[in-house]
Amino acid sequence: MNPLIFYLLASIIIGVSGKDERTFAVLRFNNEAGRFSTEGRMDPIVYPGTAASHSHGVMGGSNFALTVEGDQLLDSKCTNAMIANDKSNYWVPQVWFRSPENGTFMKVPLFYMNAYYFFEATNDEIKPFPPGMKMVSGDASKRTPPASGALQLDPSQGEVLAVQFTCATIDDNVNRYPPDSDGLIAGLQDPNNKGAGAGFPVANCDGYASPLREDIHFPSCLNPETDLDDYKNSMAFPTDAGAGKSDCPKGWTHLPHLFYEVYFDTLQFQNAWVPDGKNQPFVLSNGDRTGFSLHGDFISGWDAETLQTIIDGCDAGTSGMDTCPVIKGGVNSNDKCQILSAFPDPADEWIPELPGNNPLSGWGL
């Protein structure tokens, strides 16, 4: 039987009706200090079977490879997700520090990463991700500013802005973005959240245990008429349905709202640059100085029954999904599940060019 048809039939059997209020649970990961499960120029969604154009940091199941087809992640021998039956892969572009003195690059170590699973208020049934489903949020080619720095996830309200940076500071009065910025020479402040915005912030993000953070929201509506590999056309964000609920288009499948928060240890570099309220030294691995091209990728390796149980009965919030009772397969308490990189980043601490020889692009160039 076609895996997607089997998944849909199973979801109908075990699914429940709509939700009146949001619940959520945070998926945490075990990882070596400063590292993802694997790092390098791999991206089986956008660049299947070959080296990706730029470097990523990847979490999750050990069957991550240059090519991921069907439900192969379900057969992973390990995962560093703290729910043992989640063999999914989660990845983002690496962040690099560019030396103001000589222009060389040093990789910014991972601080930590969480994946939030929001189960939104909706008139729809929320169903688990089908195994093998591929999803991308953000645009790796974008260098132009969005219409606003405000988070905006409802396509009926205009341009969607699903990716931001968050910058916590000891002094909350510090401007994270120039107050008069139009996005052409610096990022854009979120008018609803002083600590966040579109593009890299210009402040030193020195908040307690809270350095520079990538924020990536994923769409949660799946078109069942598309192929699970068709990441460009298969997904959409839900729209406002009134009464505090958001619904998918008729006939589409409502999935969990996935959100990545990825902290990078930028505090290691706080004495290597001088904030001037206009410029900042960090770049994404694709060479983007603006940060407007921030993006994230996901391939589902969930056991559907396990995730449905979490959707229906786990409202652990920030305490962690691993604290929920009766999780099928149990909790993965300490497996860091390191994965061999097919195209690893250079071993040198400082390098003259970004992996893949990506030229700098964006502001001032």
Side-chain angles (χ1 to χ4, degrees), residues 111-141:
F111 196 60
Y112 69 88
M113 175 177 179
N114 287 323
Y116 283 65
Y117 279 71
F118 293 115
F119 315 122
E120 304 289 1
T122 180
N123 297 301
D124 305 326
E125 294 181 2
I126 299 180
K127 299 177 180 179
F129 297 119
M133 188 201 77
K134 296 175 180 177
M135 183 164 57
V136 175
S137 185
D139 181 354
S141 66

Side-chain angles (χ1 to χ4, degrees), residues 74-292:
L74 295 180
D75 296 325
S76 295
K77 293 182 179 179
C78 66
T79 179
N80 73 335
M82 292 187 70
I83 302 300
N85 276 353
D86 178 20
K87 306 295 177 56
S88 305
N89 289 126
Y90 308 75
W91 68 96
V92 296
Q94 298 273 26
V95 174
W96 294 75
F97 175 81
R98 182 172 182 257
S99 170
E101 296 181 358
N102 58 26
T104 58
F105 299 92
M106 182 176 176
K107 186 192 298 184
V108 181
L110 175 69
F111 196 60
Y112 69 88
M113 175 177 179
N114 287 323
Y116 283 65
Y117 279 71
F118 293 115
F119 315 122
E120 304 289 1
T122 180
N123 297 301
D124 305 326
E125 294 181 2
I126 299 180
K127 299 177 180 179
F129 297 119
M133 188 201 77
K134 296 175 180 177
M135 183 164 57
V136 175
S137 185
D139 181 354
S141 66
K142 187 173 179 63
R143 301 294 186 275
T144 56
S148 167
L151 183 69
Q152 208 293 98
L153 303 180
D154 185 345
S156 70
Q157 300 301 308
E159 180 185 358
V160 167
L161 178 64
V163 298
Q164 291 183 309
F165 288 90
T166 291
C167 179
T169 56
I170 293 174
D171 180 359
D172 194 48
N173 293 316
V174 170
N175 288 322
R176 278 62 158 199
Y177 298 88
D180 58 349
S181 177
D182 59 4
L184 297 179
I185 58 173
L188 294 169
Q189 176 71 58
D190 184 335
N192 305 309
N193 180 358
K194 187 174 183 179
F200 281 114
V202 296
N204 177 33
C205 306
D206 59 358
Y208 175 72
S210 188
L212 180 69
R213 190 178 90 192
E214 295 179 347
D215 293 350
I216 304 165
H217 293 264
F218 286 81
S220 55
C221 298
L222 170 66
N223 182 353
E225 300 299 320
T226 57
D227 189 277
L228 292 178
D229 290 334
D230 187 5
Y231 69 94
K232 293 183 179 180
N233 301 298
S234 62
M235 299 297 297
F237 284 91
T239 56
D240 184 9
K245 296 185 178 183
S246 58
D247 292 352
C248 291
K250 186 176 180 180
W252 290 43
T253 305
H254 203 143
L255 305 172
H257 167 188
L258 181 62
F259 165 66
Y260 295 172
E261 61 171 20
V262 190
Y263 289 89
F264 287 89
D265 195 1
T266 50
L267 285 176
Q268 291 191 19
F269 303 90
Q270 65 180 335
N271 295 323
W273 68 291
V274 179
D276 61 5
K278 300 177 182 179
N279 303 286
Q280 60 82 43
F282 299 103
V283 302
L284 294 177
S285 56
N286 58 2
D288 179 19
R289 300 177 67 215
T290 71
F292 295 145

Side-chain angles (χ1 to χ4, degrees), residues 27-50:
L27 176 70
R28 300 181 291 194
F29 298 92
N30 303 305
N31 58 279
E32 299 287 348
R35 299 183 59 193
F36 292 85
S37 288
T38 190
E39 299 174 353
R41 290 193 299 128
M42 301 89 67
D43 185 338
I45 296 181
V46 181
Y47 296 94
T50 188

